[in-house]
């Protein structure tokens, strides 16, 4: 089956502008624009009227388009000025940020033609390309910039109920094909298919004529108007699963008294807070009825709101912000890291772009790769050497890193330099680093600090990881000669590829050489000197705390097989970088978990490639404030512990757990097949990723033809021997008995961040973006297991 990408991409249709017919309902405006004052806001009024702007794709592709905000205040509509009705739309919720001025490569390329104050860029979520625009005047540009920022802020501040109202309104608009503000039976039947509900013609007609129109069609018109549609939707979305839980704890079946709610929090949710205070807080925050609030009670609507909120989600809100000790040495943290950061696609012919660095840094990445080669006019360039990938200027990369390094996280960024430049251009690199980054570039050791500094020590600093002449001791004791150049063993990815490449002899002969380094560039390297790895024994005796070794994934796996405990011990003292095999020309990723099991800190992934690898990375680093640093378990930080991921039962403090997950139901799963009559047959797979003995997966049965409100009540149990390292991945698929199942959605998080009890899991797309209101409803229990005598 092919995935339906209509909600994720700009799509062309052959309809007139739906905002010009005046039929968008008042309730729709009120619900989606909750808290949004349109009257008196000149920016939004201007957007509603519409504006002609230039859409820019390159220096040679600059075309005028008519843009306008729809009356729902959540959709932007645009079309060509030329004859014809083809138009495109995108949702405000798809826009992650607005950049003013020449802040994209495309707009920089036309900077001489259009002034910065008329230019802006809409940055979309996920891996979708930017939209670069030039307004006719500064005033029009500012209207759209300020208006879009207000719309985005409004969406971000919406509660769960308002988000659901917005989704209902979107459905109404899609289903109302003839735009008359009403839905007839055919439109309602088509809507059901759109919502992943399978219903035969006869049964659907009986339901709507006998039940729906009796109960919902108050206007007696044989159609559903907007408010009637809301009632119809509520009839369809009765949550029997939640009602059962509610009634189990409700003394009168109508409401939860404060005492009832306290019992629920204590017995089911296993909340650790003051139950009385917590219950009061939940009633105050989520209960919509003022009458119930006066009684210190929660109605079923309030219960729904609570369990649909972040407090009712599977991810523990206490672990969202920075909660870990950030004062330990860098080598004690897992560090979110990118490989070939400059690439937007594959490694053979893909586009190189500064945008790759901006996107990675904005996702909390703290280590980016810069692959440097000699360029024209004495300017170093960045690209994937000896391939057909496009080239960008090194100074533009440094500028982007300097600008975006600390927008999302204040903790240090590591620039992993792969240096193929001549001495002359290395000096130019050093000049750019010093001039552009200024005080952000770490040039000297920290006063009074022996050993690797901590993320806290290095806040706001950018570190260079590269080869270096001599060591820190010599550099800062004045022992380095005043020569302009030096030599270092060539230890970088190109040299390492020979272990993974079929053309081994030619690669080895071509790149295994001594490399000349400029002193200026060498002096920019302080705590991250790239060195060649000989053996764990050699490292134990001779290595310095500031030395960093790099391995391909295959080399790292070999060390894991041969000496896992030694590998963990090595990583308790110094940094290690692991990167994808040279065979991965499609920029695919390995599963980073096996490298985290060895305590490898800088596990570099292709951020541009969606899939399991990036799901795992996003999941691990979703905790601790998305700051890009996660503290390793104590048994991986202390050299004396000698943790062996192959034999976890031998560690001190070994405490296995039983993870029990009851998958209860799903809500409004997205349609994945473009065929109109296709309905999802969903199943849920739960995967445990961790030390080898913990790797496991189990599935629910599939539910035929129901992606709207499937119910399973299937229970899955896992024994987890090293819960501190375990990641849990929930994957929803559309079952297909004749071919591979289609991906529907996923959610990945550390076991240590899971909340117990009844929880919602808000699903993410393949790109890692939200797909509201799609969710799973589950019950979670984590119980200690008596230490077994053996792991048979």
């Amino acid at each position: 089956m092919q995935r339906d990408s209509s909600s994720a991409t700009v799509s062309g249709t052959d309809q007139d502008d739906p905002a010009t017919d005046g039929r968008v309902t008042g309730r729709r405006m009120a619900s989606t624009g909750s808290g949004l004052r349109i009257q008196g806001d000149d920016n939004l009024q201007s957007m509603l009227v519409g504006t002609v702007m230039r859409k820019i794709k390159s220096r040679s592709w600059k075309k005028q388009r008519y843009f306008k905000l729809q009356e729902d205040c959540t959709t932007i509509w645009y079309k060509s000025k030329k004859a014809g009705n083809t138009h495109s739309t995108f949702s405000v919720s798809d826009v992650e940020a607005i950049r003013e001025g020449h802040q994209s490569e495309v707009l920089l390329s036309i900077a001489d033609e259009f002034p910065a104050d008329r230019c802006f860029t809409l940055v979309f979520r996920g891996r979708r390309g930017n939209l670069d625009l030039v307004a006719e005047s500064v005033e029009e540009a500012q209207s759209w910039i300020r208006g879009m920022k207000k719309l985005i802020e409004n969406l971000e501040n919406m509660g769960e109920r308002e988000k659901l109202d917005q989704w209902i309104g979107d459905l109404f608009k899609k289903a109302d094909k003839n735009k008359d503000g009403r839905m007839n039976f055919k439109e309602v039947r088509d809507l059901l298919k759109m919502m992943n509900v399978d219903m035969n013609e006869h049964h659907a007609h009986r339901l709507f004529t006998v039940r729906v129109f009796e109960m919902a069609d108050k206007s007696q018109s044989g159609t559903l108007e907007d408010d009637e549609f809301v009632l119809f939707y509520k009839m369809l979305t009765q949550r029997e699963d939640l009602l059962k839980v509610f009634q189990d704890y409700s003394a009168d079946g109508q409401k939860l008294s404060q005492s009832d709610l306290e019992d629920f929090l204590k017995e089911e949710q296993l909340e650790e807070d003051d139950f009385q205070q917590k219950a009061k807080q939940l009633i105050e925050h989520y209960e919509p009825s003022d009458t119930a609030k006066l009684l210190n009670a929660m109605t079923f609507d309030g219960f729904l709101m609570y369990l649909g909120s972040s407090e009712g989600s599977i991810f523990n809100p206490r672990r969202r912000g920075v909660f870990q000790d950030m004062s330990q040495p860098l080598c004690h943290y897992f560090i979110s890291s990118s490989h070939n950061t400059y690439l937007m696609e594959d490694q053979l012919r893909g586009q190189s772009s500064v945008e790759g660095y901006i996107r990675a840094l904005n996702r909390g990445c703290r280590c980016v790769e810069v692959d440097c080669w000699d360029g024209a006019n004495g300017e170093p360039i960045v690209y994937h050497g000896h391939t057909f990938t496009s080239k960008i200027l090194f100074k533009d990369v440094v500028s982007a890193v300097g600008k975006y390094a600390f927008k999302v996280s204040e903790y240090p960024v590591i620039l992993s330099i792969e240096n193929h430049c001549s001495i002359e251009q290395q000096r130019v690199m050093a000049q750019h680093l010093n001039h552009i980054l200024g005080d952000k570039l770490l040039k000297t050791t920290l006063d009074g600090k022996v050993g690797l500094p901590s993320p806290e020590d290095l806040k706001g600093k950018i570190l260079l990881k590269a080869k270096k002449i001599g060591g820190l001791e010599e550099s800062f004791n004045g022992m380095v000669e005043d020569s302009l150049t030096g030599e270092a063993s060539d230890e970088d990815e190109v040299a390492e590829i020979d272990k993974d490449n079929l053309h081994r002899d030619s690669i080895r002969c071509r790149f295994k050489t001594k490399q000349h380094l400029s002193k200026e560039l060498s002096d920019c390297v302080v705590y991250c000197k790239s060195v060649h790895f000989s053996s764990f024994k050699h490292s134990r005796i001779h290595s310095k705390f500031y030395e960093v070794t790099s391995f391909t994934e295959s080399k790292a796996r070999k060390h894991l097989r041969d000496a896992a405990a030694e590998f963990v011990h090595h990583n308790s003292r110094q940094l290690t970088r692991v990167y994808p095999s040279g065979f991965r020309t499609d920029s695919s990723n390995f599963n980073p978990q096996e490298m985290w099991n060895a305590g490898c800190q800088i596990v570099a992934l292709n951020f541009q490639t969606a899939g399991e690898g990036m799901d795992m990375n996003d999941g691990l680093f979703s905790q601790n404030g998305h700051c890009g640093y996660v503290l390793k378990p104590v048994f991986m930080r202390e050299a004396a512990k000698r943790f062996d991921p192959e034999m976890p039962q031998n560690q001190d403090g070994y405490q296995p757990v039983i993870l029990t997950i009851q998958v209860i139901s799903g809500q409004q799963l997205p349609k994945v097949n473009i065929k109109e009559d296709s309905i999802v047959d969903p199943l849920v797979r739960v995967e445990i990723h961790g030390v080898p003995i913990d790797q496991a997966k189990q599935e629910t049965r599939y539910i035929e033809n129901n992606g709207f409100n499937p119910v399973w009540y299937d229970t899955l149990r896992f024994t987890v021997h090293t819960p501190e390292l375990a990641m849990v991945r929930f994957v929803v698929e559309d079952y297909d008995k004749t071919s591979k199942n289609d991906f529907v959605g996923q959610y990945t998080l550390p076991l240590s961040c899971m909340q117990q009890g009844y929880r919602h899991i808000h699903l993410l797309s393949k790109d890692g973006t939200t797909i509201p209101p799609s969710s799973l409803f589950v019950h979670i229990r984590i119980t200690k297991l008596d230490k077994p005598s053996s792991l048979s």
Side-chain angles (χ1 to χ4, degrees):
M1 295 183 191
Q2 288 184 325
R3 294 203 56 206
D4 177 6
S5 59
S6 61
S7 63
T9 58
V10 175
S11 58
T13 61
D14 291 312
Q15 297 175 12
D16 292 329
D17 175 0
T20 59
D21 61 11
R23 294 176 190 157
V24 179
T25 63
R27 191 205 67 80
R28 175 76 179 118
M29 273 277 290
S31 68
T32 60
S34 177
L36 192 63
R37 292 172 182 260
I38 295 172
Q39 299 301 326
D41 188 306
D42 293 341
N43 298 319
L44 294 181
Q45 290 290 352
S46 174
M47 291 173 72
L48 285 164
V49 171
T51 309
V52 174
M53 293 187 280
R54 283 182 176 85
K55 180 181 175 183
I56 313 291
K57 287 188 177 180
S58 67
R59 278 193 71 87
S60 59
W61 199 103
K62 303 181 282 281
K63 298 189 178 179
Q64 288 192 318
R65 295 287 184 263
Y66 178 57
F67 288 83
K68 71 181 295 182
L69 173 66
Q70 300 290 257
E71 290 188 28
D72 61 12
C73 289
T74 63
T75 308
I76 306 295
W77 176 99
Y78 65 96
K79 65 178 290 185
S80 169
K81 284 193 73 184
K82 293 181 180 178
N85 291 324
T86 300
H87 76 265
S88 300
T89 62
F90 61 86
S91 172
V92 173
S93 62
D94 293 336
V95 181
E96 185 172 62
I98 298 100
R99 297 187 201 144
E100 298 184 48
H102 300 141
Q103 289 201 58
S104 74
E105 283 167 298
V106 170
L107 290 180
L108 279 169
S109 72
I110 51 96
D112 57 341
E113 193 174 347
F114 300 104
D117 54 10
R118 284 170 50 198
C119 299
F120 63 98
T121 301
L122 300 185
V123 182
F124 291 97
R125 299 182 189 280
R127 292 166 176 82
R128 182 167 157 186
N130 296 341
L131 179 59
D132 292 299
L133 298 171
V134 179
E136 294 294 301
S137 69
V138 175
E139 293 73 27
E140 286 182 345
Q142 281 303 309
S143 274
W144 275 83
I145 290 165
R146 286 194 291 258
M148 283 297 296
K149 285 181 177 178
K150 184 167 185 176
L151 292 170
I152 292 169
E153 182 184 7
N154 182 66
L155 283 174
E156 288 173 347
N157 291 334
M158 273 188 185
E160 294 302 318
R161 171 167 291 198
E162 292 164 324
K163 288 177 185 174
L164 189 58
D165 273 355
Q166 180 195 332
W167 188 73
I168 295 171
D170 287 343
L171 286 175
F172 184 89
K173 195 167 66 172
K174 285 179 184 175
D176 184 17
K177 295 286 173 63
N178 61 3
K179 308 299 172 195
D180 65 353
R182 302 170 181 271
M183 278 198 298
N184 57 33
F185 168 68
K186 181 182 182 303
E187 288 173 329
V188 170
R189 188 194 60 204
D190 291 344
L191 169 66
L192 288 175
K193 289 178 181 174
M194 203 185 301
M195 295 162 76
N196 264 324
V197 180
D198 184 40
M199 198 175 284
N200 68 50
E201 185 96 9
H202 174 72
H203 179 61
H205 199 268
R206 186 173 62 81
L207 175 64
F208 293 119
T209 54
V210 176
R211 296 189 61 198
V212 174
F213 290 131
E214 270 185 12
M215 298 174 67
D217 182 20
K218 296 175 184 175
S219 62
Q220 300 295 307
S221 62
T223 60
L224 292 178
E225 296 181 5
D226 57 335
D227 288 329
E228 294 167 348
F229 173 60
V230 174
L231 181 58
F232 155 66
Y233 175 81
K234 286 184 176 178
M235 291 170 61
L236 270 181
T237 55
Q238 287 290 339
R239 289 290 301 273
E240 298 296 333
D241 51 348
L242 272 175
L243 188 60
K244 181 178 183 299
V245 177
F246 179 82
Q247 290 177 337
D248 282 347
Y249 281 87
S250 170
D252 62 4
Q254 300 299 311
K255 65 182 182 303
L256 291 176
S257 67
Q258 185 176 317
S259 176
D260 294 338
L261 186 53
E262 287 172 21
D263 289 344
F264 175 72
L265 294 174
K266 183 178 181 180
E267 295 168 22
E268 290 295 349
Q269 306 300 75
L270 303 185
E271 291 281 357
E272 298 171 356
D273 290 343
D274 177 339
F275 302 120
Q276 190 175 29
Q277 188 61 36
K278 182 73 173 179
K280 278 183 179 176
Q281 175 207 325
L282 292 178
I283 291 169
E284 182 60 36
H285 197 71
Y286 297 108
E287 177 50 53
S289 164
D290 290 334
T291 305
K293 279 184 180 177
L294 287 173
L295 296 170
N296 286 329
M298 180 177 274
T299 62
F300 182 58
D301 276 351
F303 192 64
L304 270 172
M305 295 287 287
Y306 154 55
L307 284 177
S309 73
S310 60
E311 290 188 273
S313 80
I314 194 169
F315 198 104
N316 188 340
R318 294 184 194 86
R319 292 180 173 252
R320 283 278 180 215
V322 175
F323 69 96
Q324 294 181 330
D325 176 8
M326 302 302 288
S327 62
Q328 302 208 24
L330 280 181
C331 58
H332 287 181
Y333 297 84
F334 296 121
I335 303 171
S336 181
S337 305
S338 162
H339 175 246
N340 288 348
T341 314
Y342 47 88
L343 286 181
M344 302 296 283
E345 301 164 39
D346 67 71
Q347 299 183 23
L348 295 180
R349 297 177 182 274
Q351 177 194 359
S352 300
S353 172
V354 169
E355 194 65 36
Y357 292 92
I358 298 172
R359 292 190 176 200
L361 292 167
N362 282 341
R363 288 179 76 168
C365 178
R366 297 291 87 187
C367 179
V368 295
E369 183 183 14
V370 190
D371 201 346
C372 307
W373 300 79
D374 280 357
N377 304 316
E379 282 292 344
I381 54 172
V382 174
Y383 84 113
H384 200 53
H386 307 296
T387 66
F388 297 104
T389 58
S390 60
K391 302 169 177 65
I392 51 179
L393 292 175
F394 175 76
K395 65 179 178 182
D396 288 345
V397 170
V398 177
S399 294
V401 171
K403 186 164 190 175
Y404 290 92
F406 306 111
K407 296 264 188 189
V408 170
S409 169
E410 58 189 342
Y411 294 105
V413 167
I414 300 170
L415 284 185
S416 182
I417 300 287
E418 193 177 316
N419 176 13
H420 307 280
C421 290
S422 62
I423 293 291
E424 292 73 27
Q425 294 211 9
Q426 287 179 45
R427 289 181 183 134
V428 176
M429 288 170 63
Q431 288 168 14
H432 288 324
L433 288 165
N434 283 290
H435 176 68
I436 296 169
L437 299 181
D439 290 341
K440 291 178 186 173
L441 180 67
L442 188 75
K443 290 292 298 292
T444 61
T445 52
L446 301 183
D447 290 342
K449 198 79 183 176
V450 178
L452 274 178
S454 69
E456 188 67 32
D457 295 330
L458 294 168
K459 273 185 180 177
K461 291 296 183 183
I462 295 171
L463 285 69
L464 216 63
K465 173 195 159 300
K467 290 181 281 291
K468 182 175 179 65
I469 305 165
L472 279 189
E473 302 85 356
E474 298 149 319
S475 296
F476 297 104
N477 289 332
M479 293 171 66
V480 170
E481 298 175 16
D482 289 332
S483 62
L484 296 178
T485 66
E487 285 189 347
S489 174
D490 189 6
E491 190 282 321
D492 57 30
E493 291 189 22
V494 177
E496 292 289 349
I497 285 174
D498 65 341
K499 298 295 191 293
D500 287 327
N501 203 296
L502 293 173
H503 308 293
R504 294 184 178 180
D505 294 338
S506 61
I507 294 286
R508 187 177 294 119
C509 294
R510 193 171 181 179
F511 296 115
K512 284 282 188 177
T513 60
K514 290 280 185 180
Q515 184 185 20
H516 290 276
L517 298 177
S518 81
K519 184 176 184 299
E520 294 89 340
L521 185 61
S522 173
D523 286 348
C524 294
V525 179
V526 183
Y527 288 116
C528 298
K529 176 185 176 180
S530 294
V531 298
H532 179 71
F533 179 78
S534 298
S535 69
F536 289 125
K537 182 179 179 181
H538 181 274
S539 174
R540 208 165 48 244
I541 298 168
H542 300 289
S543 69
K544 310 291 186 183
F545 68 86
Y546 52 81
E547 293 178 341
V548 184
T549 50
S550 291
F551 302 112
T552 61
E553 57 177 292
S554 53
K555 249 190 173 180
R557 283 194 196 99
K558 183 177 187 306
H559 291 313
L560 261 171
R561 283 193 305 270
D562 296 346
E566 283 286 323
F567 207 172
V568 174
H569 180 259
H570 174 87
N571 289 327
S572 70
R573 296 178 295 111
Q574 54 198 117
L575 291 168
T576 294
R577 180 173 180 266
V578 181
Y579 55 91
S581 159
F583 278 139
R584 295 182 182 271
T585 53
D586 59 351
S587 290
S588 60
N589 284 311
F590 57 87
N591 187 323
Q593 183 68 51
E594 55 187 332
M595 308 309 167
W596 295 332
N597 290 341
C600 299
Q601 303 87 351
I602 304 174
V603 181
L605 299 179
N606 290 299
F607 270 50
Q608 73 273 27
T609 306
E612 181 189 69
M614 279 308 299
D615 292 346
M616 295 287 294
N617 200 76
D618 289 343
L620 178 68
F621 293 103
S622 60
Q623 63 181 312
N624 209 33
H626 281 93
C627 76
Y629 287 84
V630 168
L631 190 63
K632 295 196 284 188
V634 65
F635 53 77
M636 302 187 101
R637 306 194 305 261
E638 296 178 8
K641 294 286 185 185
R642 309 296 288 182
F643 172 71
D644 186 344
E646 298 290 336
M647 301 288 284
Q649 72 275 27
N650 293 341
Q651 78 176 69
D652 291 341
Y654 165 65
Q655 179 55 69
V657 300
I658 297 289
L659 171 63
T660 305
I661 301 172
Q662 185 180 46
V663 181
I664 299 172
S665 64
Q667 293 76 45
Q668 290 91 56
L669 303 177
K671 202 175 176 71
V672 297
N673 196 294
I674 56 174
K675 292 178 183 173
E676 215 173 271
D677 293 333
S678 175
I679 306 290
V680 169
D681 302 332
L683 63 81
V684 179
R685 183 172 66 253
V686 178
E687 305 169 352
I688 308 297
H689 298 263
V691 296
I693 197 171
D694 286 342
Q695 301 278 22
K697 58 182 71 172
Q698 294 180 38
E699 291 180 354
T700 66
R701 64 212 150 88
Y702 71 90
I703 303 297
E704 196 166 353
N705 285 343
N706 187 353
F708 184 69
N709 56 358
V711 176
W712 290 278
Y713 281 103
D714 286 358
T715 300
L716 313 176
R717 287 187 180 84
F718 302 89
T719 300
V720 184
H721 297 275
T722 311
E724 299 91 338
L725 283 172
M727 301 285 294
V728 185
R729 184 169 182 251
F730 295 83
V731 185
V732 182
E733 290 184 341
D734 179 11
Y735 173 76
D736 193 322
K737 61 185 176 186
T738 60
S739 62
K740 186 181 177 184
N741 294 347
D742 281 330
F743 175 90
V744 174
Q746 68 84 29
Y747 189 81
T748 308
L749 78 165
L751 176 60
S752 61
C753 292
M754 286 174 74
Q755 295 202 96
Q756 299 192 62
Y758 288 101
R759 303 292 173 184
H760 277 101
I761 299 169
H762 300 284
L763 295 173
L764 303 175
S765 69
K766 193 166 257 181
D767 262 346
T769 56
T770 56
I771 40 177
S774 300
S775 64
L776 296 175
F777 185 52
V778 299
H779 185 270
I780 305 290
R781 272 292 173 268
I782 303 169
T783 53
K784 290 183 179 179
L785 181 67
D786 291 337
K787 184 176 177 180
S789 55
S790 66
L791 294 176
S792 56

